[in-house]
């Protein structure tokens, strides 16, 4: 309707596609063909994925032993904080019916431990852990300073409550011969944690560096005594410490405790037979109705033996297929109706 | 039908409101109530207005005192009003106007105050304070402060820019100059420095800076012509005349400088057409009326200069009093948004309370016994719960969308730019693009129900053109050549043979020219001669060019047409008129001018030809002319048919006739005429009677047809808007007939429309009121409302109502509260109670009346209000706004529309014309009425849909995002937890780019909330299930909360972005870019934030080091994300597909059947045109709004005898003409 002005006038708006809202556009049509195609393919994909996931999860082996009740006397002892210096050990024998092939991982698992509580998860000092300033404890309330005003290293509620049971796995070849299953205490953490997030202060002598600080109230020994044998696993760089410091998302969680060192007898994994866990019981859980387990597991490409994802995929795939059949039926009946309507 | 009505309304003036006059503005009732002593029963509502008007000057107290050339006088203490504690201010406003809101000092506090009126802003301020409390603080302080500052800053900058523009505008107006007497001399002064009592001088084409009393002018008798288009939209000239005494003595600078007159007059008010006052000078008093006052906003025309005394300045001027308040406009969606925010507050508090209770319980059960959670404080679980409540309020703050307002503003800004950029709303002729002057109302454009339009300058161009004529029964004016053959394409008639032609007339009938030149039919020449002689137009010659000044544009068009056809009116004196008849100049003696008035609807002139014959020429409305025709008129029927045809084409028609008068007869009549003209009482009536005697037995010459040119595309626009179910009301200061005619011309009214007038409405309303009173008295509003229509269903109805009727119907007349007045000073408690009671009853009655009226009017397809004041225009808009709860739009071009534009939800100004007042107070402006359809149907709809889509999506996203926290609370002991605060900051901003082409509906707010809730559940519980048991492929447990957060956040971002993609109706590269860009940007930023380098620099801020790279390395996590996204989106696709298949929406259908619909539309339009064939309707005589200049002419006052004798000018001109003719 509007004739385009011949000469350029001062206030003439630009005639660009963007300004005139005339950009080339593609309309997204939900045609039956496209929608059904998408649904059927998604369904197939989900079903396949689900089956693959279930099969792989089934291919792993896992043993979980809950030792809260088995070591009840130890638990009882730990309920009273004044017994902190009394050692309590507990041995749990078990039988491995089939051998566990490949890499075997050992986890400790806690139930009802709220590592994700807000005021707990915040109580840590990343500045301290990165090794720059060991006295940076501002974020660590309520475990910033000891009573005589020396900064706590490592400070904060997370560090203070570090899991400190020792678990040793031994293979009982026969009633008299026990071999300690070799476990690696390295490679338990993310590379970034070990090499970026957690760093010891530069000097060689850790004890010097941490002078003027004190250990967390619940700890039996200071941070630089965590692993005296291996300096690369000591101080903030201790793998157990790093693993603990990565707070879990749920009140039930497991954390990696060790990997099978596949040498000699265990080159193929854990052979079948009698085993026992020798546990030094330090970590109290019964007061808050928590429980502790120790877990041995093998892995596949998709992790452990959790069936959830596989099942979820299978169910989703099945529902998608059902829905797509239903949609197809509705589409066809309506289309026929419409056709007959037009023919009248 | 309409003609019958006309006579009725005019003859029964005593008992009915007068349709011809513009009524007072309603606030007069308030003013005068106090003065009125008499008690009038409500039944006596219809008092003779005339009587009231006459009484008025005596009743009125004159308390406004102005002394000329004496500024000190007005600063006396008793003129001071206490404004503020002890600061006193003169009651005389100065002439500076102020429309801005802030100055340098007040900007920050006032703007902040304005902004914190918004609920969400205030909420965030409270939140900020909460976060400062360490026990509560769950998020870092900057997470709230930064967005809040951003929001406040952006809004403040926008307000600042707006206010600076207002400052500029004010400055521009205040710094206009005119000449003011200072220290005895005229000196140039700025408008803002003008004060009451100043004597000023104005030149031709100057705007009048204040309301001034005309003292003298360069014209004879100190006449001064003004154009009042800014005030009432009428473009014809009006004349003002000063008092004789000031005319006589105040012509020179020195006399003006010593002028010490004293004026007493009424207080400032908003009545444009009324003024009462007295001038005291030289020990004599002179009465003053509105004819001696020039109002601010008028333009001086045809007068070289004039002098005036400032009576009202600045805010006291009548135009300012009329302009109404500037209202802060907000859209429906704004209100809805606020409402939603409140809802969310409530939901938020409930959620937080629930979670806090949960937390307290958990603390009591578990937390208190968990040694690892010991924090050194012995707080009770309930206290912890209480602290937790506030913590949740802070953490869940993303549910209250602070970015919402900013995002909405940004979107609106973008839409405003699209309006500004629209080429199809650019008017090349005047080089004016459309302009969105406010950026906050765009989506409201898609919700308009009622449009209130001005007529003159908005629907019409206010250009009258001579279109057709009927001479001696033969119609001229179609496209045809000299030999009567019709052609579709034919060149315009060439008027070059006529030296007086102005060449602006476009005429296509060559046969008429042929007829004039050949002179075969004497009636043809007689016809144009009549047009040239029978009028009250003034002529003015500049550079040999003839300039006509007509009292009405119609008359101007006719005289101009005659001039083009060879009968040029050249000059007139008191009793002669000179015409050039096809080149030969002849001067006729004018014996009498029988002027137009609204009752007579005709004017005549009696001339004596040079040959000595006496003739009467008459033109007038067909109805009045036909009554006075001689019985022997051969072309009566043909002319009647022609009139019908013209009326069908909505042309404005006039009948022309003449008669020969015998010398003796004239002499006899002249005697009566002379006697009547000097009659001291009822002179007008006596004159009318005398006129009647001579205007009979007329011989019909023919009829003229004038086109009141519509703006381009008006009928099409109106029909389109009507299809969109938008109702159009025309509000005009014009006369009823003119308005009705235009109603037909722009197809607002059609042949099958039943038109209802004021009296019909009145009786209907009376009946309804009676009904309601019987049912429940005046408290009927407490009874269940009865919604019965006023009219039987079906049929097309229109309402035409005048301002006086409007006042009558809406009980706005001054008698409305007379009952109260009786009890003005209540003596007893009883009386006081009765007084308030009756007051309340009257209020209720009035309200009922108004409501009924609006209901009734809304049943009509079109409403035309004519003869309404600016204030009434606003009132009508307000009524609809109030009682219909509908969104209104007002469109106009003049200062008289300002009030209405400000009142309506959306005001549109027609730009590109001279006056800018309407544009300045409007929200949108463009050059042509027809752009309205694009503004509403395209931009409005888009803006609305986009805004709704955006809001829906926004709430969906916010809920999906925030509620993940909520679900998480069940697994972390109900303690506040931060999934990823950075995301919440970052993403609302990101999405804006992508939200350009989505499709939602705001009513589905709760649906979108539900959708958000479901999505958040899926987003949380699938990863939860997947995480509970799992370990990473390298053996480490990935179920740490950071990996979990990354998984959910990634799934969320992908889901919501894909959701936009699904909702996008048209994918452009901008959409694709923004959606995939958003996802890419998310991952980019995430990897950045989780990188090693940044952690080393700021270990305590960026704690997520390595999470992204470690977590997203796991195929398991990707599988979780994929499943989550699929489960979120597949149902959406399925539901959309099914609803499209089973219940296809309107736009789906339209998409499907695009071609067929197009064909249908074309067919409909053609049919409509076809229908306009048979008609009984007659376009009435729409003549000038006021009397012509006959008085001026016959008294000789306008003739420039003072400076140069008229004959000399004429002689000069003709001599020149002859010279050019010879050579």
């Amino acid at each position: 309707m509007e004739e385009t002005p011949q000469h350029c006038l001062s206030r003439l708006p630009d005639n660009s596609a963007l300004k005139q809202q005339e950009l080339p556009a593609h309309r997204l049509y939900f045609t039956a063909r496209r929608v059904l195609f998408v649904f059927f393919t998604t369904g197939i994909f989900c079903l396949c994925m689900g089956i693959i996931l279930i099969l792989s999860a089934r291919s792993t082996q896992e043993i979980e032993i809950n030792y809260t009740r088995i070591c009840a006397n130890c638990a009882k002892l730990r309920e009273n904080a004044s017994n902190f210096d009394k050692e309590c050990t507990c041995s749990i024998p078990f039988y491995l019916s089939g051998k566990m092939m490949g890499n075997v991982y050992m986890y400790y698992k806690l139930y009802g431990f709220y590592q994700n509580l807000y005021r707990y998860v915040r109580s840590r000092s990343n500045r301290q852990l990165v090794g720059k300033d060991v006295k940076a404890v501002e974020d660590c309330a309520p475990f910033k300073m000891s009573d005589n005003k020396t900064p706590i290293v490592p400070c904060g509620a997370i560090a203070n409550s570090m899991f400190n049971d020792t678990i040793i796995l031994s293979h009982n070849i026969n009633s008299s011969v026990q071999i300690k299953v070799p476990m690696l205490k390295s490679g338990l953490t993310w590379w970034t944690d070990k090499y970026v997030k957690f760093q010891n202060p530069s000097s060689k002598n850790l004890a010097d560096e941490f002078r003027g600080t004190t250990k967390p109230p619940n700890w039996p020994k200071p941070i630089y005594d965590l692993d005296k044998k291996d300096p690369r696993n000591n101080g903030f760089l201790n793998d157990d410490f790093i693993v603990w410091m990565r707070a879990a998302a749920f009140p039930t969680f497991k954390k990696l405790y060790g990997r099978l060192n596949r040498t000699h007898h265990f080159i193929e994994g854990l052979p079948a037979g009698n085993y026992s866990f020798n546990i030094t019981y330090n970590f109290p859980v019964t007061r808050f109705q928590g429980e502790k387990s120790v877990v041995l597991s093998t892995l596949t490409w998709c992790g452990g033996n959790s069936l959830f994802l596989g099942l979820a995929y299978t169910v989703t795939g099945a529902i998608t297929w059902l829905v797509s059949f239903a949609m197809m039926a509705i589409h066809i009946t309506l289309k026929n109706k419409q056709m007959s309507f037009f023919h009248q | 039908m309409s003609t019958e009505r006309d006579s009725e309304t005019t003859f029964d003036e005593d008992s009915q409101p007068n349709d011809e006059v513009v009524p007072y503005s309603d606030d007069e009732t308030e003013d005068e109530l106090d003065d009125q002593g008499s008690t009038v029963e409500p039944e006596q509502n219809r008092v003779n207005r005339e009587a009231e008007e006459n009484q008025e000057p005596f009743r009125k107290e004159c308390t406004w005192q102005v002394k000329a050339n004496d500024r000190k006088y007005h600063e006396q203490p008793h003129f001071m009003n206490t404004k503020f504690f002890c600061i006193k201010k003169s009651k005389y406003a100065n002439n500076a106007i102020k429309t801005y809101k802030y100055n340098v000092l007040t900007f920050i506090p006032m703007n902040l105050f304005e902004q914190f009126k918004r609920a969400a802003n205030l909420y965030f301020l409270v939140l900020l304070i909460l976060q400062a409390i360490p026990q509560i603080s769950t998020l870092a302080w900057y997470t709230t402060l930064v967005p809040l500052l951003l929001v406040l800053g952006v809004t403040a900058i926008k307000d600042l820019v707006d206010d600076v523009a207002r400052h500029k505008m004010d400055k521009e107006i205040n710094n206009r100059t005119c000449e003011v007497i200072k220290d005895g001399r005229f000196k140039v002064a700025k408008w803002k420095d003008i004060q009451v009592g100043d004597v000023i001088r104005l030149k031709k084409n100057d705007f009048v800076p204040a309301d001034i009393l005309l003292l003298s002018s360069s014209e004879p008798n100190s006449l001064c012509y003004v154009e009042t288009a800014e005030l009432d939209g009428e473009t014809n000239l009006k004349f003002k005349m000063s008092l004789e005494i000031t005319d006589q003595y105040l012509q020179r600078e020195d006399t003006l400088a010593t002028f010490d007159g004293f004026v007493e007059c009424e207080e400032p008010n908003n009545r444009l057409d009324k003024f009462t006052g007295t001038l005291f000078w030289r020990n004599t008093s002179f009465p003053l009326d509105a004819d001696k006052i020039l109002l601010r906003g008028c333009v001086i025309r045809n007068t070289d200069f004039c002098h005036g005394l400032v009576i009202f300045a600045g805010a006291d001027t009548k135009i300012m009093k009329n302009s109404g308040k500037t209202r802060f406009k907000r859209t429906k969606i704004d209100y809805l948004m606020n409402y939603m925010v409140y809802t969310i507050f409530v939901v938020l508090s409930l959620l937080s309370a629930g979670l806090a209770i949960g937390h307290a319980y958990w603390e009591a059960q578990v937390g208190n016994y968990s040694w690892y959670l010991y924090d050194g404080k012995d707080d009770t679980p309930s206290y912890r719960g209480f602290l937790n409540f506030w913590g949740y309020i802070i953490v869940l703050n993303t549910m209250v969308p602070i970015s919402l307002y900013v995002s909405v503003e940004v979107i609106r800004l973008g839409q405003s730019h699209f309006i500004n950029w629209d080429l199809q709303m650019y008017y090349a002729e005047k080089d004016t693009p459309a302009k969105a002057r406010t950026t906050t109302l765009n989506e409201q454009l898609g919700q308009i129900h009622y449009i209130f339009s001005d007529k003159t300058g908005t629907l019409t161009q206010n250009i009258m053109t001579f279109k057709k004529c009927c001479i001696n029964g033969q119609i001229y004016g179609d496209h045809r050549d000299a030999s009567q053959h019709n052609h579709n394409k034919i060149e315009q008639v060439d008027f070059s043979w006529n030296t007086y032609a102005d060449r602006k007339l476009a005429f296509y009938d060559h046969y008429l020219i042929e007829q004039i030149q050949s002179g075969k039919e004497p009636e043809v020449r007689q016809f144009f001669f009549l047009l040239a002689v029978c009028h009250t137009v003034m002529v003015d010659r500049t550079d040999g060019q003839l300039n006509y000044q007509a009292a009405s544009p119609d008359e101007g068009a006719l005289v101009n047409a005659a001039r083009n056809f060879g009968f040029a009116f050249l000059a007139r004196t008191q009793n002669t008129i000179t015409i050039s008849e096809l080149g030969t100049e002849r001067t006729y003696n004018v014996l009498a001018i029988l002027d137009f008035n609204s009752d007579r609807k005709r004017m005549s002139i009696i001339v004596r030809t040079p040959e000595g014959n006496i003739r009467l020429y008459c033109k007038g409305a067909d109805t009045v002319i036909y009554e006075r025709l001689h019985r022997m008129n051969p072309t009566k029927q043909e002319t009647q048919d022609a009139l019908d045809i013209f009326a069908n084409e909505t042309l404005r028609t006039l009948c022309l006739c003449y008669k020969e008068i015998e010398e003796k007869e004239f002499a006899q009549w002249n005697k009566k005429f002379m006697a009547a003209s000097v009659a001291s009482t009822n002179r007008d009536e006596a004159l009318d009677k005398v006129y009647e005697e001579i205007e009979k037995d007329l011989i019909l010459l023919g009829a003229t047809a004038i086109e009141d040119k519509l703006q381009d595309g008006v009928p099409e626009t109106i029909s389109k808007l009507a299809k969109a179910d938008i109702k159009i009301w025309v509000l005009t200061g014009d006369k009823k007939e003119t308005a009705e005619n235009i109603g037909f011309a722009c197809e607002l009214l059609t042949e099958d429309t039943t038109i209802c007038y004021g009296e019909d409405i009145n009786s209907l309303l009376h009946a309804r009121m009676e009904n309601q009173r019987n049912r429940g008295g005046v408290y009927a509003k407490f009874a269940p409302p009865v919604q019965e229509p006023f009219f039987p269903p079906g049929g097309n109805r229109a309402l035409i109502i005048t301002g006086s009727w409007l006042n009558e119907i809406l009980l706005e007349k001054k008698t409305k509260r007379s009952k109260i007045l009786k009890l003005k000073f209540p003596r007893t408690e009883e009386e006081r109670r009765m007084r308030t009671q009756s007051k309340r009853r009257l209020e209720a009655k009035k309200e009922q009346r108004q409501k009924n009226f609006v209901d009734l009017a809304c049943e009509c397809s079109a409403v035309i209000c004519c003869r309404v004041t600016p204030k009434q225009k606003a009132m009508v808009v307000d009524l609809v706004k109030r009682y219909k709860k509908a969104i209104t739009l007002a469109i106009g071009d003049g200062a008289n529309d300002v009030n209405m534009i400000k009142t309506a939800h959306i005001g549109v100004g027609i730009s590109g014309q001279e006056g800018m007042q309407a544009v300045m107070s409007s929200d949108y402006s463009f050059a042509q009425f027809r752009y309205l359809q694009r503004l509403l149907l395209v931009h409005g709809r888009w803006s609305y849909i986009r805004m709704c889509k955006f809001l829906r999506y926004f709430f969906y996203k916010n809920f999906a995002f925030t509620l993940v926290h909520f679900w998480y609370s069940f697994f972390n002991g109900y303690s506040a937890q931060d999934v990823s605060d950075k995301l919440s900051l970052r993403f609302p901003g990101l999405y804006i780019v992508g939200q350009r082409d989505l499709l939602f509906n705001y009513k589905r707010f709760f649906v979108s909330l539900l959708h958000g809730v479901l999505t958040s559940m899926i987003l949380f519980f699938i990863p939860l299930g997947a995480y509970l048991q799992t370990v990473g492929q390298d053996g480490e447990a990935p179920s740490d909360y950071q990996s979990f957060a990354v998984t959910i956040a990634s799934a969320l971002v992908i889901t919501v972005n894909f959701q936009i993609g699904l909702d996008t109706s048209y994918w452009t590269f901008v959409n694709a870019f923004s959606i995939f860009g958003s996802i890419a940007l998310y991952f980019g930023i995430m990897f950045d934030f989780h990188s090693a380098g940044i952690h080393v620099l700021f270990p305590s801020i960026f704690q997520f080091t390595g999470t992204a790279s470690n977590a997203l390395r796991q195929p398991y996590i990707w599988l979780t994300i994929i499943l989550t996204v699929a489960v979120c989106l597949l149902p959406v696709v399925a539901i959309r597909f099914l609803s499209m298949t089973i219940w296809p929406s309107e736009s789906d259908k339209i998409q499907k059947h695009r071609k067929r619909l197009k064909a249908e539309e074309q067919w409909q339009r053609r049919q409509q045109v076809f229908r306009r064939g048979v008609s009984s309707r007659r376009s009435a005589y729409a003549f000038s709004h006021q009397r012509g200049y006959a008085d001026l002419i016959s008294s000789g006052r306008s003739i420039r005898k003072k400076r140069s004798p008229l004959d000399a000018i004429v002689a000069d001109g003709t001599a020149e003409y002859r010279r050019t003719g010879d050579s």
Side-chain angles (χ1 to χ4, degrees), chain B residues 139-152:
Chain B
L139 292 178
W141 53 274
Y142 50 83
T143 50
T144 323
L145 185 69
V146 170
L148 184 65
L149 284 184
L150 211 73
V151 168
L152 294 179

Side-chain angles (χ1 to χ4, degrees), chain B residues 477-739:
Chain B
D478 295 322
H479 290 60
R480 52 184 182 175
D481 63 15
S483 48
Q484 271 186 288
H485 290 295
N486 280 21
H487 294 278
N488 269 340
K489 259 192 171 177
I490 194 160
E491 271 177 40
Q492 223 167 286
V493 168
D494 181 19
F495 289 111
S496 59
W497 51 272
N498 177 0
T499 24
Y500 288 112
D502 71 346
R503 312 220 171 131
K504 279 178 200 146
L505 183 71
F507 202 74
Y508 297 91
D509 194 348
H510 294 255
Y511 181 61
L512 179 61
I513 308 297
E514 173 73 28
Q515 285 283 21
I516 292 171
Q517 281 170 338
S518 69
K520 264 183 238 155
E521 267 191 79
E523 281 86 359
V524 175
R525 286 189 176 180
Q526 187 86 319
F527 181 90
F528 287 105
F529 173 73
L530 189 153
L531 290 181
V533 78
C534 177
H535 54 79
T536 56
V537 169
M538 311 277 197
V539 68
D540 178 28
R541 272 196 177 208
T542 44
D543 315 329
Q545 276 289 315
L546 291 170
N547 276 325
Y548 292 140
Q549 283 308 329
S552 83
D554 299 56
E555 205 170 43
L558 289 177
V559 178
N560 216 33
R563 163 187 171 183
N564 277 302
F565 288 109
F567 291 80
F569 160 59
L570 293 180
R572 73 156 88 238
T573 63
Q574 196 170 340
N575 44 21
T576 64
I577 186 162
T578 310
I579 311 285
S580 157
E581 295 171 30
L582 296 171
T584 39
E585 241 171 72
R586 283 159 67 103
T587 303
Y588 295 82
N589 273 330
V590 177
L591 302 176
I593 298 177
L594 287 55
D595 198 6
F596 167 86
N597 72 31
S598 51
D599 298 344
R600 284 164 40 77
K601 300 190 175 194
R602 61 188 184 271
M603 77 156 290
S604 307
I605 188 165
I606 303 176
V607 294
R608 191 193 293 275
T609 58
E611 290 81 31
N613 300 329
I614 299 177
R615 271 208 189 126
L616 177 140
Y617 292 100
C618 177
K619 64 178 180 188
D622 44 13
T623 47
V624 287
I625 296 289
Y626 265 67
E627 288 167 14
R628 290 166 180 79
L629 287 183
H630 196 270
R631 266 171 298 122
M632 295 294 291
N633 254 316
T635 58
K636 220 168 160 178
Q637 190 52 47
E638 284 94 329
T639 311
Q640 181 87 39
D641 295 344
L643 283 169
D644 285 341
I645 293 169
F646 294 159
N648 266 332
E649 293 167 16
T650 67
L651 300 171
R652 295 155 71 138
T653 55
L654 276 183
C655 281
L656 309 187
C657 50
Y658 73 101
K659 111 183 211 189
E660 304 271 351
I661 304 176
E662 298 287 313
E663 192 75 45
K664 215 167 67 193
E665 190 191 349
F666 177 74
Q668 237 171 28
W669 178 81
N670 203 23
K671 239 180 249 164
K672 287 186 204 164
F673 174 58
M674 288 303 175
S677 8
V678 293
S680 51
T681 53
N682 288 342
R683 187 164 53 135
D684 285 352
E685 274 172 41
L687 275 174
D688 281 3
K689 217 179 247 167
V690 176
Y691 291 164
E692 193 76 38
E693 278 177 34
I694 194 103
E695 287 167 331
K696 60 183 184 193
D697 297 334
L698 303 168
I699 296 159
L700 188 64
L701 261 179
T704 60
I706 294 174
E707 185 186 34
D708 186 357
K709 243 184 156 174
L710 288 178
Q711 301 262 10
D712 293 337
V714 166
E716 290 83 354
T717 306
I718 285 180
S719 76
K720 277 246 179 70
L721 292 176
K723 268 185 201 150
D725 213 14
I726 297 171
K727 288 189 176 168
I728 296 171
W729 293 31
V730 177
L731 309 177
T732 173
D734 242 330
K735 279 185 34 160
K736 197 165 89 178
E737 289 80 4
T738 323

